[in-house]
Amino acid sequence: MKCVLLSGGFDLRKYLASEIKRLEGRISFVDHLDGSDPAEIRMAVGWHPPADAFDHYPNLEVACSIGAGADNILNCPSLREDIRVVRIVEPAQAQMMAGFVIFHAIWHQRHFATYFANQRERVWKRIGQRTMQEVPVGILGYGAIGARVAADLAMLGFPVNVWSRSAKPTPAGITGFHGADGLDAMLAGTEILVNLLPLTAETKGILNGVLFGKLRRGGYLIQVGRGPHLVEQDLLEALDSGQLAGAALDVFHVEPLPPEHPFWVHPKIVLTPHDASDVSLVATGQTILATAEALRAGLPPKDAVDRSRGY
Ligand code: GLV
């Protein structure tokens, strides 16, 4: 089975080197436009493929993302309707994400930003404590990662509300909301908002001034979805007005974040370079192999995105 590596501005062959070696003899990885016969290629692995990438492969049937999100492939203009798109689903990634979100939730709840600044000024000042139970968390997106994040936050004692597009069952201790009305109700009872939504036409720009205005005053944003979910100017205004006390940002419209961007030096923003939680290379290799085997057997690949929903 031949599989083409499709990526714009990112060395996918280098990134996947260990898995390309492990899969030797079972999958032969070719580079985009390297002279291989494009008609023989039925499978691709990609990350932000060039706009016309899929036009070159008339018999391509499936494209695998190298992350939990597949928007990087789904947004490629040349992706045909009949190409299946697969993403990586890995429990360990959900656990890593839960740790990341918990860190930032406690950062806010325990006033660490202020203590960090006070230390620099040699200021000894106790702020006073709030219990976890006093700081409700709302999670946008209740897939495999959202469910793990919600469960771990609830275990620590945070009241947890989750929101998804359609109704989903939730375990005891986690309150589920869905649909447009559900979103408003969820936001009204939320101080810390965690964004774990997939990026679709419907969710683009969802983190905006109107939404921030519906949270508890002095709220906190943990943005670990995709950059285009956030209206950046609205975030700056919400931070300036005090509607939001702070924000943890891991994803951005433009990555790497340009050096002149105001987020870098904003005193109420903690930022990380899209590093909240990666899928492992081993899980990526396993998904690529399982997808190739499904293709050989004429079966639908596991973990394929529902193209009509966009995730
Ligand atoms: C990371 O952003 C991923 O999609 O796994």
Side-chain angles (χ1 to χ4, degrees):
M1 171 78 60
K2 275 195 182 161
C3 174
V4 63
L5 299 168
L6 294 178
S7 127
F10 174 70
D11 191 344
L12 208 45
R13 183 171 282 283
K14 189 167 164 203
Y15 174 75
L16 288 175
S18 58
E19 295 312 298
I20 291 175
K21 194 161 187 313
R22 196 196 309 273
L23 298 175
E24 217 173 282
R26 288 177 285 180
I27 302 180
S28 139
F29 291 89
V30 302
D31 295 305
H32 185 41
L33 305 180
D34 69 354
S36 315
D37 179 3
E40 280 182 12
I41 294 173
R42 295 171 63 198
M43 179 173 169
V45 172
W47 187 251
H48 295 287
D52 68 344
F54 294 99
D55 290 340
H56 297 274
Y57 303 99
N59 300 322
L60 198 105
E61 291 172 59
V62 57
C64 268
S65 173
I66 54 163
D71 49 290
N72 63 88
I73 292 178
L74 294 165
N75 291 336
C76 183
S78 58
L79 184 74
R80 294 183 298 279
E81 282 300 319
D82 62 320
I83 296 179
R84 292 183 203 252
V85 177
V86 168
R87 65 200 197 90
I88 317 290
V89 178
E90 186 192 22
Q93 184 190 27
Q95 187 176 39
M96 285 289 281
M97 184 62 91
F100 186 90
V101 169
I102 286 167
F103 171 89
H104 286 290
I106 293 176
W107 176 269
H108 170 69
Q109 176 232 350
R110 301 301 307 265
H111 312 291
F112 280 124
T114 307
Y115 283 131
F116 200 60
N118 285 355
Q119 181 185 343
R120 302 270 149 318
E121 303 297 324
R122 298 165 196 255
V123 172
W124 179 278
K125 185 176 169 211
R126 293 168 55 125
I127 298 173
Q129 298 178 5
R130 287 192 302 163
T131 63
M132 268 92 166
Q133 284 75 10
E134 291 173 272
V135 184
V137 182
I139 300 176
L140 297 172
Y142 195 58
I145 297 180
R148 178 67 198 243
V149 173
D152 288 2
L153 284 163
M155 186 194 63
L156 287 174
F158 288 100
V160 179
N161 302 316
V162 296
W163 180 82
S164 48
R165 194 169 82 149
S166 51
K168 288 189 181 166
T170 50
I174 296 173
T175 311
F177 296 85
H178 69 277
D181 296 347
L183 180 58
D184 282 359
M186 192 270 254
L187 295 170
T190 289
E191 177 164 329
I192 298 175
L193 184 69
V194 182
N195 177 40
L196 277 165
L197 288 168
L199 182 64
T200 65
E202 282 169 41
T203 63
K204 189 171 174 210
I206 191 170
L207 302 177
N208 57 42
V210 175
L211 177 140
F212 298 143
K214 292 176 181 169
L215 293 169
R216 265 195 191 175
R217 191 162 172 81
Y220 196 80
L221 172 68
I222 303 177
Q223 156 62 328
V224 282
R226 287 288 187 255
H229 284 132
L230 176 66
V231 181
E232 295 188 338
Q233 187 56 34
D234 288 10
L235 173 65
L236 292 170
E237 284 167 20
L239 291 170
D240 287 350
S241 74
Q243 175 58 20
L244 290 184
L249 308 177
D250 187 58
V251 289
F252 305 89
H253 281 253
V254 179
E255 296 179 5
L257 189 66
E260 65 283 1
H261 200 288
F263 286 172
W264 280 113
V265 290
H266 198 292
K268 294 181 179 173
I269 289 177
V270 175
L271 70 82
T272 43
H274 200 144
D275 194 35
S277 176
D278 286 342
V279 288
S280 70
L281 284 170
V282 170
T284 309
Q286 283 166 348
T287 300
I288 294 170
L289 181 59
T291 304
E293 282 171 351
L295 208 54
R296 268 192 209 108
L299 296 170
K302 207 172 148 273
D303 299 326
V305 167
D306 176 340
R307 294 281 311 263
S308 64
R309 282 190 325 191
Y311 60 95

